[in-house]
Amino acid sequence: MNQMTTLARLHRTVGVRVGHVQVGGAAPIVVQSMTMTDTADAAATAQQCVELAEAGSELVRVTVNRPEAAAAVPEIKRRMLDAGCTAPLIGDFHYNGHLLLTRHPACAAALDKYRIKPGNVGTGRRRDEQFATICKVAIDHGKPVRIGVNGGSLDQELVVAKMQENTDRSLGRTSDEVIDECMVISALRSTELALETGLRKDQIVVSCKVSRPRHLIAVYRDLASQTDQPLHLGLTEAGMGAKGLVWSASAMAVLLNEGIGDTIRISLTPKPGGDRRDEVYAACELLQALGLRAFSPSVTACPGCGRTTSSTFQELAERTQDYIRSRMPEWKTTYDGVETLTLAVMGCVVNGPGESKAANIGISLPGTGEAPNCPVYIDGEHFITLRGTYDELAAGFRALVDNYVATHYPLKRA
């Protein structure tokens, strides 16, 4: 274990309770996400909160940007609870958070945590006053806060002062290095101000999110060495599709492997009409890939090659993944340990039997020129050979999965 890893883990000592979820301390790393609906539309927002929570988001955040949104928060919380969703609800405040929280006490009471950016709560003395107002509301309601510094909304007064210092003292730092330093300074100063206002250490989570992987690594290593507060980790404005996934994972995996990060979000830009839950699935997969958490059964699938000219294995792998996700909201409340289940959907004889035997349940589909047989292996042993149409194969494999879950994982105690 290198020095940075040791340092980061030594500083993960403070725990913050967000609703019923523990963040930091010895708690597992927590996944969170954010809705895309108009918060004033309580029905649509509550529905998306429930969907995100069922997908694996353990904390759900909504923007609270205007009076109508603040007024809707209590109803959103009620609708979530009526649907059986107990995921803590976080309010994201910018510019007018001090006004919305003080003028809408029901909103302040319904939320489980407030997220504020030091760079956009005001300027000069007003900034400190308005920041302190939000902290006092949190104190009155017994709520935690996240002090969330972002590269895109950094305190410009601090940036200008540090840039001038860099010039005047001929420090030779690049502008990026100065901005990275300002991110950490802003977070630490704001944490001190929150403590001076009366918040306890166990009410404060800190983040410093930037949009470039190498800078995220540098900023969080610096931040982790200077505070023992829980850290929210994420690459902000990561982007769409493969770019967003790769950029987020390239930075966050490095930091998580060093023990840095207590709650995470992968901020993906969805395609028009896309599924917001994709960012939740990505965050869960990242933690699962690193061996830090287990959220859902994993599906090993063949990438395809010239031996797999049929699309059957691809369709079966996709359908299997979708089926697992659709069943997990029920399975995870019914069966103990089902998230550790492993499956394999392979496309030819080269790696098919080997990977299938390594999984709890694996199927090896025939490649080009192979006999139309699909051997299925359960816990390393050949169990059955499936044949038939694609729909028959899919139904047969699903039935085997359902039976394995029901017979291999104990029922959870009520």
Side-chain angles (χ1 to χ4, degrees):
M1 183 179 292
N2 60 37
Q3 183 179 7
M4 182 55 67
T5 303
T6 305
L7 183 63
R9 287 178 175 158
L10 285 173
H11 277 273
R12 293 184 61 198
T13 55
V14 177
V16 173
R17 180 69 62 175
V18 183
H20 63 87
V21 175
Q22 178 80 6
V23 175
I29 298 166
V30 175
V31 170
Q32 67 173 274
S33 58
M34 187 174 184
T35 60
M36 288 186 66
T37 55
D38 180 356
T39 308
D41 185 342
T45 302
Q47 178 61 34
Q48 190 164 93
C49 287
V50 172
E51 292 171 354
L52 292 170
E54 289 181 343
S57 185
E58 295 157 305
L59 302 176
V60 180
R61 181 156 47 106
V62 299
T63 189
V64 186
N65 56 339
R66 53 197 177 102
E68 294 82 0
V73 165
E75 183 182 351
I76 292 168
K77 187 70 172 180
R78 283 195 298 271
R79 285 174 176 265
M80 290 173 62
L81 293 173
D82 288 345
C85 178
T86 60
L89 186 63
I90 302 168
D92 198 67
F93 294 95
H94 304 277
Y95 308 110
N96 58 355
H98 60 294
L99 298 175
L100 295 176
L101 284 168
T102 53
R103 294 175 182 176
H104 295 271
C107 169
L111 292 169
D112 294 288
K113 187 175 75 170
Y114 314 146
R115 190 269 193 153
I116 50 179
K117 281 186 182 179
N120 61 20
V121 294
T123 58
R125 188 168 63 182
R126 288 183 59 205
R127 177 183 61 243
D128 290 350
E129 292 173 354
Q130 290 165 186
F131 179 87
T133 296
I134 297 174
C135 292
K136 288 174 182 176
V137 173
I139 293 168
D140 292 342
H141 290 275
K143 309 291 184 178
V145 302
R146 170 157 71 94
I147 297 171
V149 180
N150 268 48
S153 54
L154 190 57
D155 177 4
Q156 291 306 301
E157 294 177 11
L158 174 61
V159 173
V160 170
K162 282 296 179 180
M163 288 289 188
Q164 190 63 49
E165 179 187 45
N166 186 48
T167 300
D168 293 344
R169 297 177 58 189
S170 300
L171 298 178
R173 296 176 180 171
T174 66
S175 58
D176 285 337
E177 290 172 335
V178 173
I179 290 174
D180 288 352
E181 179 190 18
C182 289
M183 297 277 294
V184 176
I185 291 173
S186 178
L188 297 176
R189 285 181 179 176
S190 297
T191 300
E192 287 302 315
L193 178 57
L195 292 170
E196 291 170 5
T197 303
L199 276 174
R200 303 185 309 272
K201 289 176 69 69
D202 64 358
Q203 288 179 281
I204 302 171
V205 178
V206 180
S207 67
C208 284
K209 297 173 73 174
V210 297
S211 59
R212 288 179 288 176
R214 291 179 64 187
H215 289 271
L216 190 79
I217 293 170
V219 166
Y220 269 87
R221 282 174 171 168
D222 189 13
L223 182 64
S225 72
Q226 298 190 61
T227 182
D228 56 1
Q229 298 300 139
L231 301 181
H232 171 70
L233 179 61
L235 188 78
T236 191
E237 292 97 32
M240 299 182 72
K243 186 266 185 183
L245 291 169
V246 172
W247 281 44
S248 293
S250 66
M252 294 170 67
V254 171
L255 293 167
L256 290 168
N257 202 49
E258 294 178 356
I260 299 173
D262 301 287
T263 173
I264 69 168
R265 180 191 176 200
I266 292 185
S267 302
L268 293 181
T269 304
K271 295 179 180 179
D275 194 335
R276 188 59 157 183
R277 293 174 296 180
D278 286 344
E279 69 173 41
V280 181
Y281 298 139
C284 293
E285 290 289 356
L286 177 60
L287 293 178
Q288 198 149 328
L290 294 170
L292 297 171
R293 295 285 304 274
F295 291 92
S296 178
S298 62
V299 180
T300 298
C302 171
C305 69
R307 290 176 173 269
T308 56
T309 53
S310 168
S311 63
T312 302
F313 81 95
Q314 297 165 291
E315 294 165 359
L316 183 58
E318 182 178 38
R319 187 178 287 193
T320 300
Q321 182 70 74
D322 291 344
Y323 182 69
I324 293 297
R325 287 175 175 173
S326 71
R327 295 304 308 274
M328 272 308 291
E330 176 187 349
W331 283 351
K332 69 183 180 182
T333 60
T334 306
Y335 299 103
D336 192 24
V338 67
E339 64 277 0
T340 64
L341 174 67
T342 59
L343 301 100
V345 179
M346 303 301 293
C348 81
V349 73
V350 174
N351 291 322
E355 290 287 357
S356 296
K357 290 177 182 178
N360 294 127
I361 311 177
I363 184 170
S364 180
L365 277 71
T368 304
E370 296 176 23
N373 301 322
C374 304
V376 177
Y377 300 85
I378 294 182
D379 290 330
E381 300 293 332
H382 178 247
F383 181 77
I384 193 173
T385 297
L386 298 178
R387 299 178 180 86
T389 67
Y390 166 69
D391 286 338
E392 290 170 338
L393 290 175
F397 192 60
R398 284 200 306 271
L400 291 172
V401 172
D402 285 337
N403 182 68
Y404 190 95
V405 170
T407 58
H408 285 71
Y409 296 98
L411 295 174
K412 289 190 173 181
R413 295 180 180 179

